[in-house]
């Protein structure tokens, strides 16, 4: 088995799609009906082996928490910040590694994680 799709929910579909394509560099690759008969837009990044399903949802309670692994958290943090992404947590060292957090316009939370083994 492998992870293939991660759903992200939004009440403002156009704003959400713009965020992913213009600021994070995703590309729209199609649509599919997946969750409760709602059509989702499939977006992919050349850097990830998983696709996001952007789904219109009027419920404010559905949110996703997505961890993106990175080889260079500080570099990606600065690139995304320059592209206009607002970070709710600046890079900080945690037991799992160097972490920075941002949210998309719908409140889905993303964590950039540069994993580190502090015991080596």
């Amino acid at each position: 088995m492998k992870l293939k799709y991660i759903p992200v929910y939004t009440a403002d579909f156009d704003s959400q799609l713009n965020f992913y394509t213009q600021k994070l560099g995703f590309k729209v690759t199609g649509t599919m009906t997946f969750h409760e008969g709602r059509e989702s837009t499939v977006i992919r990044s050349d850097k990830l082996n998983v696709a996001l399903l952007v789904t219109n949802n009027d419920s404010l309670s559905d949110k996703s928490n997505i961890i993106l692994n990175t080889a260079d958290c500080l570099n990606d943090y600065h690139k995304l910040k320059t592209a206009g992404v607002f970070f709710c947590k600046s890079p900080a060292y945690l037991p799992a590694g160097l972490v920075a957090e941002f949210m998309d316009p719908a409140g889905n939370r993303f964590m950039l994680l540069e994993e580190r083994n502090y015991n080596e």
Side-chain angles (χ1 to χ4, degrees), residues 90-108:
S90 297
Y93 291 98
L94 298 178
L98 186 58
V99 174
E101 292 184 29
F102 65 92
M103 292 172 54
D104 67 17
N108 296 292

Side-chain angles (χ1 to χ4, degrees), residues 20-40:
Y20 286 111
T21 57
Q22 300 301 313
K23 294 187 179 186
L24 299 185
F26 281 80
K27 295 179 181 131
V28 175
T29 60
T31 60
M32 67 185 291
T33 301
F34 180 70
H35 185 64
E36 298 176 1
R38 290 183 279 187
E39 185 173 82
S40 299

Side-chain angles (χ1 to χ4, degrees), residues 63-75:
K63 303 290 180 212
S64 296
N65 291 294
I66 300 167
I67 299 171
L68 302 173
N69 189 269
T70 177
D72 190 338
C73 184
L74 291 175
N75 185 50

